[in-house]
């Protein structure tokens, strides 16, 4: 806890992935006079609660990114996320971070009997982004995932999955070892200009810094109106079963993580102790663990009815930050004031990229952050934006259900 007035070169608000990666990026570039303040404990928010999928890309789809930016700029941003995947992998090895990393790739399983969806994305990824997502035919998918729900799939071999909280705690250890001062349970309650810098005040202390980075995600600190107005905090849900032992093999014969082609998709992955982590849904409602357990248990049995009766040991929700343009907001808001937010449920690699971009900007004058200029602090139109987000999700969910119903009708 911060209990005094201190000075620093850089003060980072928020010790989730974005804040921790920025701190580590600064330390690796020789900037050690860095203070990191966190309202709770490191990775208390989405960083410690997410599904643990580590792969490239953003919430905004590749085709939209290409339309927005053209082939050169779109490729540069996308490549930044795949390079971030490799940086995460190197940091796990270099710093001995025990985070249950499972180097088994990720499967994008087709919920619908429509190969063209997969073919189009596979071709786009290959031609525009130099990515080789491998084709899995229906027989192979059903050998590995013991369900008739899926048809064909694409497999991302360079991706992996891990325990996000363990990884975040590892990052927190590393930044502390490299001289970063991390103060937990020290919520930032105000932000003000002081001469050529900024003052971040906490309940029992303050930090005077030349540069400030706001990395609060969906847990907004109320420090800057434009920053907070740029995102909607949206909830998603996760549960974890009891250890399944041999029963896990009845459902999955792969150690890859999985998500499907619906807009309202499930995502899940096998854990090293034979548990199954299952996530899905987005909502403006931050539901109780019991409500999350009921919802996701039903979703799991739609895919793997053979798991009926398994116990659920843990369930939780967490808040992600979404922008209207579906892209991260990364860059300088005012001189010396930086932001990294709006990772929209696809944040493990992009938060690592954000940390590198902002750290290199502060330490080395790198202007790469301007590449995110097309995706700035547009208003999320709160409170109407919450209703719009929920209605959009329900509409997409209904379209998914209609397409699945229509396919069943053709088969009968």
């Amino acid at each position: 806890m911060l209990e005094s007035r201190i000075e620093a070169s850089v003060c980072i608000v928020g010790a989730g992935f974005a804040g921790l990666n920025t701190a580590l990026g600064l330390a690796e570039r020789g900037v050690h006079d860095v203070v990191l303040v966190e309202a709770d404990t490191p990775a208390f928010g989405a960083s410690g609660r997410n599904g643990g999928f580590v792969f490239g890309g953003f919430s905004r789809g590749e085709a939209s990114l290409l339309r927005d930016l053209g082939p050169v700029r779109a490729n540069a941003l996308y490549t930044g996320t795949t390079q971030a995947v490799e940086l995460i992998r190197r940091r796990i090895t270099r710093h001995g971070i025990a985070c249950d990393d499972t180097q088994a790739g990720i499967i994008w399983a087709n919920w619908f009997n429509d190969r063209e969806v997969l073919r189009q994305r596979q071709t786009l990824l290959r031609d525009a982004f130099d990515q080789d997502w491998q084709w899995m035919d229906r027989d192979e998918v059903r050998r590995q995932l013991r369900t008739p729900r899926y048809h064909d799939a694409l497999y991302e071999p360079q991706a992996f999955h891990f325990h996000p909280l363990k990884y975040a705690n590892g990052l927190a250890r590393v930044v502390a070892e490299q001289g970063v001062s991390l103060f937990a349970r020290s919520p930032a309650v105000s932000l003000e200009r002081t001469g050529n810098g900024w003052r971040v005040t906490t309940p029992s202390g303050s930090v005077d810094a030349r540069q400030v980075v706001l990395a609060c995600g969906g847990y907004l600190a109320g420090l800057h109106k434009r920053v907070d107005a740029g995102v909607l905090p949206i909830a998603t849900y996760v549960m974890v079963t009891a250890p399944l032992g041999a029963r896990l093999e009845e459902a999955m014969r792969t150690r890859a993580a999985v998500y499907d082609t619906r807009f309202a998709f499930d995502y899940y992955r096998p854990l090293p102790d034979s548990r199954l982590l299952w996530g899905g849904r987005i909502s403006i409602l931050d539901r109780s663990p019991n409500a999350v357990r009921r919802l996701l248990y039903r979703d799991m049995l739609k895919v793997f009815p053979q798991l009926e009766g398994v116990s659920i040991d843990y369930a939780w929700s967490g808040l992600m930050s979404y922008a209207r343009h579906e892209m991260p907001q990364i860059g300088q808001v005012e001189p010396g004031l930086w932001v990294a937010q709006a990772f929209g449920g696809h944040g493990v690699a992009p938060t690592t990229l954000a940390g590198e971009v902002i750290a290199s900007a502060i330490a080395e004058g790198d202007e790469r952050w301007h590449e995110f200029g097309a995706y700035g602090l547009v208003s999320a139109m709160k409170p109407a934006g919450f209703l719009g987000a929920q209605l959009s999700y329900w509409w997409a969910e209904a379209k998914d259900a209609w397409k699945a119903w229509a396919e069943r009708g053709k088969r009968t």
Side-chain angles (χ1 to χ4, degrees), residues 49 67 79 86 95 139 150 228 265 267 280 283 287 315 327 354 367 383 408:
R49 306 182 192 207
R67 286 194 301 271
T79 299
E86 296 309 313
H95 300 295
D139 290 343
Y150 304 134
D228 284 5
F265 57 83
Y267 55 91
S283 174
R287 288 184 166 94
M327 282 290 285
E367 296 193 347
R408 286 195 299 271

Side-chain angles (χ1 to χ4, degrees), residues 195-207:
N196 294 324
W198 298 85
R199 176 171 297 159
V200 176
T201 303
T202 71
S204 54
S206 64
V207 184

Side-chain angles (χ1 to χ4, degrees), residues 21-151:
N21 280 302
T22 303
L24 182 53
L26 288 165
E28 289 176 342
R29 290 165 173 81
V31 183
H32 297 286
D33 189 15
V34 177
V35 171
L36 183 54
V37 294
E38 162 60 41
D40 203 281
T41 55
F44 168 80
S47 297
R49 306 182 192 207
N50 68 81
F53 285 49
V54 188
F55 65 136
F58 302 96
S59 288
R60 189 158 184 78
E62 297 90 8
S64 296
L65 196 66
L66 199 59
R67 286 194 301 271
D68 294 344
L69 302 177
V72 175
R73 293 175 62 203
N75 184 280
L77 285 190
Y78 191 98
T79 299
T81 65
T82 57
Q83 291 172 342
V85 171
E86 296 309 313
L87 178 58
I88 294 167
R89 196 177 262 122
R90 291 197 302 273
R91 282 174 171 171
I92 290 170
T93 301
R94 181 188 310 144
H95 300 295
I97 300 175
C99 58
D100 302 336
D101 57 303
T102 304
Q103 305 292 330
I106 292 176
I107 295 171
W108 189 45
N110 198 354
W111 190 270
F112 306 107
N113 189 18
D114 179 6
R115 290 187 172 189
E116 193 59 26
V117 172
L118 300 187
R119 290 293 187 197
Q120 287 179 359
R121 191 178 188 196
Q122 184 185 43
T123 300
L124 179 67
L125 285 165
R126 183 192 64 222
D127 294 348
F129 299 100
D130 305 314
Q131 297 299 301
D132 180 21
W133 285 30
Q134 299 169 7
W135 187 268
M136 294 175 63
D137 64 28
R138 183 178 308 185
D139 290 343
E140 179 62 19
V141 171
R142 293 182 179 179
R143 274 194 296 271
Q144 297 196 33
L145 302 171
R146 311 298 287 179
T147 174
R149 281 283 175 179
Y150 304 134
H151 300 275

Side-chain angles (χ1 to χ4, degrees), residues 100-397:
D100 302 336
D101 57 303
T102 304
Q103 305 292 330
I106 292 176
I107 295 171
W108 189 45
N110 198 354
W111 190 270
F112 306 107
N113 189 18
D114 179 6
R115 290 187 172 189
E116 193 59 26
V117 172
L118 300 187
R119 290 293 187 197
Q120 287 179 359
R121 191 178 188 196
Q122 184 185 43
T123 300
L124 179 67
L125 285 165
R126 183 192 64 222
D127 294 348
F129 299 100
D130 305 314
Q131 297 299 301
D132 180 21
W133 285 30
Q134 299 169 7
W135 187 268
M136 294 175 63
D137 64 28
R138 183 178 308 185
D139 290 343
E140 179 62 19
V141 171
R142 293 182 179 179
R143 274 194 296 271
Q144 297 196 33
L145 302 171
R146 311 298 287 179
T147 174
R149 281 283 175 179
Y150 304 134
H151 300 275
D152 306 296
L154 296 180
Y155 174 65
E156 215 296 56
Q158 299 306 312
F160 66 101
H161 55 99
F162 66 5
H163 191 303
L165 183 57
K166 289 182 179 180
Y167 179 69
N169 286 336
L171 288 181
R173 169 181 60 81
V174 172
V175 300
E177 291 171 351
Q178 298 205 15
V180 173
S181 299
L182 197 165
F183 295 95
R185 306 197 185 284
S186 300
V189 295
S190 69
L191 172 70
E192 58 183 327
R193 277 195 174 279
T194 56
N196 294 324
W198 298 85
R199 176 171 297 159
V200 176
T201 303
T202 71
S204 54
S206 64
V207 184
D208 287 334
R210 291 193 297 276
Q211 312 262 1
V212 169
V213 182
L214 301 180
C216 304
Y219 294 79
L220 301 175
L223 300 177
H224 192 284
K225 287 183 178 179
R226 282 186 60 221
V227 170
D228 284 5
V231 292
L232 291 173
I234 300 292
T236 189
Y237 310 132
V238 183
M239 71 176 188
V240 177
T241 69
L244 299 179
R247 290 194 71 179
L248 181 59
E249 293 287 328
E250 296 174 11
M252 301 183 68
R253 297 184 181 179
T254 176
R255 292 298 169 261
V258 181
Y259 69 116
D260 67 67
T261 55
R262 294 171 298 168
F263 179 88
F265 57 83
D266 302 318
Y267 55 91
Y268 55 92
R269 61 188 185 90
L271 306 187
D273 60 358
S274 80
R275 299 175 189 270
L276 181 63
L277 178 146
W278 193 280
R281 300 177 176 259
I282 62 172
S283 174
I284 61 174
L285 299 176
D286 196 8
R287 288 184 166 94
S288 70
N290 284 337
V292 170
R293 184 181 288 109
R294 287 192 298 271
L295 282 170
L296 295 187
Y297 189 80
R298 291 198 299 267
D299 290 347
M300 181 183 70
L301 293 186
K302 290 176 184 176
V303 178
F304 297 121
Q306 62 268 46
L307 295 182
E308 185 170 8
V310 303
S311 298
I312 306 302
D313 280 357
Y314 309 102
W316 65 88
S317 63
L319 297 177
M320 310 172 290
S321 57
Y322 272 87
R324 281 169 52 201
H325 48 54
E326 303 174 307
M327 282 290 285
Q329 295 164 337
I330 299 170
Q332 190 168 219
V333 181
E334 298 179 28
L337 180 64
W338 301 82
V339 65
Q341 64 180 16
F343 298 98
H346 200 115
V348 178
T351 50
T352 304
L353 172 61
E356 287 293 285
V357 167
I358 292 177
S360 62
I362 292 173
E364 301 163 350
D366 186 351
E367 296 193 347
R368 233 184 334 160
W369 62 273
H370 288 293
E371 291 300 315
F372 289 90
Y375 305 109
L377 291 173
V378 297
S379 172
M381 303 179 69
K382 292 180 282 193
F386 286 107
L387 179 59
Q390 189 66 69
L391 290 174
S392 295
Y393 177 80
W394 283 338
W395 174 243
E397 192 176 36

